[in-house]
Amino acid sequence: MIWSFVKVALFVAAIAALTLGATWLSDSGEGIRVAVAGMEFTLGALQAAIAAVLLILAVWLFLRLLGFVVAVLKFLSGDETAISRYFDRNRERKGFEALAEGMMALASGEGKLAQTRAQRAERLLHRPELTNLISAQAAEMQGDRKRAIEIYKRLLSDDRTRFAGVRGLMHQKLAEGDTEIALRLAEKAFEMKPRHEEVQDILLRLQTESGNWAGARTTLGAGVRQGRLPRDVHKRRDALLALQEAKEVFAEGNSIEAREAAIAANKASPDLIPAAVMAAQGYIARGEPKGAQRVLRKAWEVQPHPDLAAAFAGMVPEESPLERLARFETLLKANPGAEETALTRTELLIAAEDFPGARRVMGDLAERHPTARTLTLMAAIARGEGADEAEVRGWLTRAVSASRGPQWICDKCQTVAADWSPVCGTCGGFDTLSWREAPDTPPLPHGAEMLPLIVGRPAPVQEEEETPPPPRGPVDVTPPEPDPEPQPASPAGPEEADPFAEPPSVAAARGYKT
């Protein structure tokens, strides 16, 4: 309503300005003298202005007529569309202007305006391969997914716009959460344009989420061939996918093929801990303990890990603690300065009941890096040396609220995972789990109050009360009944267990279970 009023006011103002200008020219009295072919014409100011306008109009008409004549000549020379193009030129110009305005509206986030301009461009141009793209994106911007899907389906009928239609439908299915159809669309888009980076990323994510490890390896290979991934990163990620593929093969019962795949994955990425563990198990199953030892030692050099120690212990499960301690020297010497090496050696010494040696190995580690594991080991050492129970309780009290130590943590969402996986179960990130300590590990809630549940609560001491002597009465001469047979003691429940029983970590240190 306001805009209509403004347009009327501007029109009235323009008419008034023209009227005032014409009046001024009429009253000015000055004129223009024109001499043509011996004839002389004298024009007033207003007449001269009108003549100038008519001259410009005549030139424009002449140019238009000249263009039409050129189109007729082209038609006569064999160009059948010359005359139609001449008349369509103005309409195309307006159509492309509307198309450009629609693109600018999309860039500025005006979905409704973009939709309007796209419809106008379609009426003028009749080029659906151009206007449908803008219409679909404008419908997406307005939240009209049904219309967007309908327009993207139209694009599938044209070879020039088929990829854009498949990609648009893929994004729509991802927004709806239909990953199964989105995966098929991503595979189709990858077939059409295997070098498209966005399609590669989406396809790889969907394949890893659905467990299609073989397909994911193919997609990953396409990325490295284009130079998108460094060679070392590709080797590691390909090893991750090969390892997960081997795990599924092993779950299906084909242990031989799984062992070979795990060994191949370990060769591709020797520092990958799960691959090293599975490859070592494969070598042991093949009767090649030296190969298993070599794999575990090489992985220990890069990053010591409890799973590597457990796999190394599982090579000879029936050995004594002293024999295990001696055999582990080969592994521990591979990285003697690592914290995990000191902790593993301490656990082996505790299992061998060499508590002074375990204390020497620990040194001041419990003070420099107090974690639940280091503090629990100090409690086990103190208990083994016969220290006062208050000292043992002090170590365990600190362990309850200490950091959990290194864990499998997602670098993307910071979620702690119980076991390693190539894909984060929370955010779906690929190759985001790393063995590290959380920067800010929250202590257990009410950690000090939970201590009795871990080490037991001492039973309260009950004071004996003096009982008065029984009153004197007649002497009972009845022979006493025989004492009942002793009943077997019932097993102690969880609440009657030894409050100072050996902690689980110490029991685990006496031998790794595989």
Side-chain angles (χ1 to χ4, degrees):
M1 183 68 181
I2 297 177
W3 177 240
S4 300
F5 175 76
V6 170
K7 289 191 291 185
V8 171
L10 290 176
F11 177 76
V12 172
I15 295 298
L18 290 175
T19 303
L20 291 175
T23 303
W24 179 78
L25 288 174
S26 300
D27 297 340
S28 61
E30 298 180 358
I32 299 175
R33 181 179 298 175
V34 180
V36 179
M39 300 179 65
E40 184 177 304
F41 300 93
T42 303
L43 301 176
L46 179 60
Q47 294 172 337
I50 296 174
V53 172
L54 292 176
L55 179 62
I56 294 173
L57 182 60
V59 172
W60 179 79
L61 289 174
F62 174 76
L63 294 176
R64 296 287 294 179
L65 182 60
L66 181 62
F68 178 73
V69 171
V70 172
V72 171
L73 293 176
K74 288 183 178 180
F75 176 77
L76 295 175
S77 63
D79 190 353
E80 299 179 355
T81 62
I83 297 178
S84 62
R85 289 202 312 272
Y86 172 79
F87 288 107
D88 293 342
R89 191 172 299 153
N90 186 41
R91 186 172 66 251
E92 288 182 354
R93 180 181 58 80
K94 294 181 179 180
F96 281 114
E97 287 179 358
L99 191 67
E101 292 175 359
M103 296 174 65
M104 294 299 297
L106 279 178
S108 59
E110 299 176 280
K112 187 175 181 180
L113 178 61
Q115 186 71 42
T116 303
R117 293 296 183 266
Q119 292 174 355
R120 174 176 170 78
E122 172 62 24
R123 289 196 304 268
L124 295 172
L125 295 176
H126 302 290
R127 299 281 298 276
E129 69 276 8
L130 298 177
T131 56
N132 281 339
L133 289 172
I134 297 180
S135 299
Q137 295 179 15
E140 285 185 23
M141 189 174 293
Q142 292 178 281
D144 191 355
R145 291 182 178 174
K146 184 177 180 181
R147 176 173 173 77
I149 292 175
E150 178 184 349
I151 297 175
Y152 280 129
K153 288 181 178 179
R154 294 182 203 162
L155 297 176
L156 300 178
S157 58
D158 192 337
D159 293 339
R160 296 170 297 177
T161 60
R162 184 172 292 115
F163 176 78
V166 173
R167 177 180 172 274
L169 291 174
M170 177 186 67
H171 281 288
Q172 291 300 313
K173 294 303 178 182
L174 286 174
E176 295 175 1
D178 192 349
T179 56
E180 183 178 353
I181 297 181
L183 175 58
R184 293 203 294 268
L185 291 170
E187 291 173 348
K188 182 64 177 178
F190 182 73
E191 291 178 5
M192 299 171 66
K193 288 191 176 182
R195 301 179 65 87
H196 197 278
E197 296 184 5
E198 182 195 30
V199 171
Q200 286 183 11
D201 294 339
I202 294 176
L203 178 59
L204 180 63
R205 177 170 63 85
L206 293 175
Q207 286 172 333
T208 53
E209 290 178 356
S210 62
N212 185 4
W213 311 114
R217 295 182 69 181
T218 302
T219 306
L220 193 67
V224 75
R225 285 193 298 271
Q226 299 169 18
R228 294 187 57 218
L229 285 177
R231 288 286 177 180
D232 55 343
V233 176
H234 169 260
K235 288 179 64 176
R236 171 182 170 79
R237 293 187 174 180
D238 187 68
L240 291 175
L241 297 172
L243 174 63
Q244 198 65 20
E245 189 176 5
K247 286 184 176 181
E248 293 195 354
V249 171
F250 183 79
E252 294 174 359
N254 195 344
S255 58
I256 298 178
E257 184 180 349
R259 289 198 303 265
E260 298 300 328
I263 293 172
N266 174 254
K267 290 180 180 179
S269 182
D271 60 336
L272 184 59
I273 293 171
V277 172
M278 196 168 182
Q281 295 172 353
Y283 278 118
I284 294 173
R286 287 165 51 175
E288 301 179 15
K290 291 185 178 180
Q293 182 174 329
R294 182 182 66 254
V295 166
L296 295 175
R297 179 183 171 85
K298 192 171 184 179
W300 192 273
E301 289 178 357
V302 179
Q303 184 178 16
H305 192 275
D307 290 348
L308 299 175
F312 194 83
M315 295 172 59
V316 187
E318 303 299 332
E319 62 188 345
S320 65
L322 290 176
E323 293 172 342
R324 177 163 294 179
L325 177 61
R327 186 171 63 87
F328 256 79
E329 289 299 325
T330 304
L331 180 68
L332 300 180
K333 288 180 181 178
N335 198 336
E339 180 178 320
E340 182 62 34
T341 299
L343 294 175
T344 302
R345 191 186 299 275
T346 300
E347 291 174 348
L348 293 170
L349 290 170
I350 291 176
E353 298 184 358
D354 184 2
F355 300 106
R359 183 177 290 275
R360 287 193 301 271
V361 172
M362 287 292 292
D364 62 344
L365 182 58
E367 302 299 330
R368 288 188 290 106
H369 188 200
T371 63
R373 186 179 176 189
T374 57
L375 296 172
T376 303
L377 289 176
M378 291 302 299
I381 293 172
R383 181 177 175 83
E385 291 178 337
D388 186 76
E389 295 298 337
E391 181 180 349
V392 178
R393 288 176 176 274
W395 288 113
L396 293 177
T397 302
R398 294 177 59 189
V400 169
S401 57
S403 167
R404 303 297 97 188
Q407 304 172 88
W408 290 115
I409 301 176
C410 178
D411 297 330
K412 186 177 180 181
C413 64
Q414 308 302 318
T415 301
V416 178
D419 297 312
W420 175 88
S421 174
V423 180
C424 176
T426 302
C427 66
F430 175 64
D431 190 21
T432 57
L433 292 183
S434 59
W435 182 256
R436 60 184 175 87
E437 188 172 356
D440 297 317
T441 305
L444 292 176
H446 311 291
E449 291 83 347
M450 293 179 64
L451 181 62
L453 301 177
I454 300 175
V455 301
R457 187 189 302 275
V461 179
Q462 297 182 355
E463 298 181 358
E464 296 183 357
E465 297 181 0
E466 296 183 359
T467 56
R472 295 181 175 272
V475 180
D476 188 2
V477 295
T478 305
E481 296 181 0
D483 295 335
E485 296 182 0
Q487 298 292 332
S490 58
E495 68 279 357
E496 299 175 358
D498 182 6
F500 307 114
E502 191 176 57
S505 62
V506 180
R510 297 188 181 279
Y512 290 91
K513 294 183 180 181
T514 59

